[in-house]
Amino acid sequence: MTQHDATSKVAIVTGGATGIGEAVVTALTDAGWHIWALGRRRSALDALEAATGARGLVCDVSQADAVNAAVAEVLGTEGRLDGLVLNAGIMVEGTLGETSAAQWDEAISVNLTGAYLVAHACLEALSVSQGAVVSVSSVAGLRAAGGAAAYSISKAGLLMLSHSIAVDYGPLGVRSNAVCPGWTRSEMADGEMAAFAEMAGGDVESAYEEVTRLVPQRRPGSSAEVAQAIVWLLSDTASYVNGATLSVDGGLGVIDAGTTAYGFRVTPRD
């Protein structure tokens, strides 16, 4: 078992090798946490380990046996768990009618069932340490995103998972909160912007500019900005924040869609 002083906290970050997860791992390791990142790609985890000193474990969070083995390795090595970031997720595009059963199952199994499996495996240890959970949902979990039914539904379910942990495990000292990022520069979002640019013309940068025209701050967020909100929710300075949903979206969620025509000209595409 690794020996470290009582102030050194341990956390698991799922989907920790890229995007928001990578930014969370970087911020937490910089703050002195012992971080274990779960991800599907060994090459990405190796790069993360080299850059941050975090430990990387290959783990498909949709598979119960893999999750249980990974959590057991963390607890067997560290002897404790103080934080959990449920960040692993995939994008599945399409309206409900366009979404196949296989696509539906994939979205739910990674974005929602995967979060359940990891949380289920970690809650006993988090209860002992009176630790904290942060679930990374999306603005699409708060408002229906056009053409992304399975994704939006899975992210809305993740919010209720977060709330349920807050209610049921709050009496044991566990805090559970969620963040809902808006457009955030990441590997996944870059891929979406590339597809959007191919459809609408332009490049990735112009695509980001177009999709954030209604964002009051007029830009996408960075993974580091979302990570700082997550780090705060894990920290003792957020000790009485439980069951909260924090939007990290540049103000997009407070826009009155019915009045946007007064300030914006929308040009239909062919």
Side-chain angles (χ1 to χ4, degrees), residues 75-96:
L75 294 177
T77 303
E78 302 284 359
R80 62 188 287 177
L81 183 66
D82 304 277
L84 173 62
V85 180
L86 299 171
N87 174 68
I90 59 170
M91 167 58 73
V92 173
E93 297 182 348
T95 66
L96 197 63

Side-chain angles (χ1 to χ4, degrees), residues 223-251:
S223 294
E225 288 173 311
V226 179
Q228 287 304 313
I230 294 168
V231 170
W232 175 70
L233 287 170
L234 289 175
S235 74
D236 292 339
T237 58
S239 58
Y240 200 55
V241 181
N242 188 38
T245 300
L246 176 60
S247 293
V248 188
D249 63 358

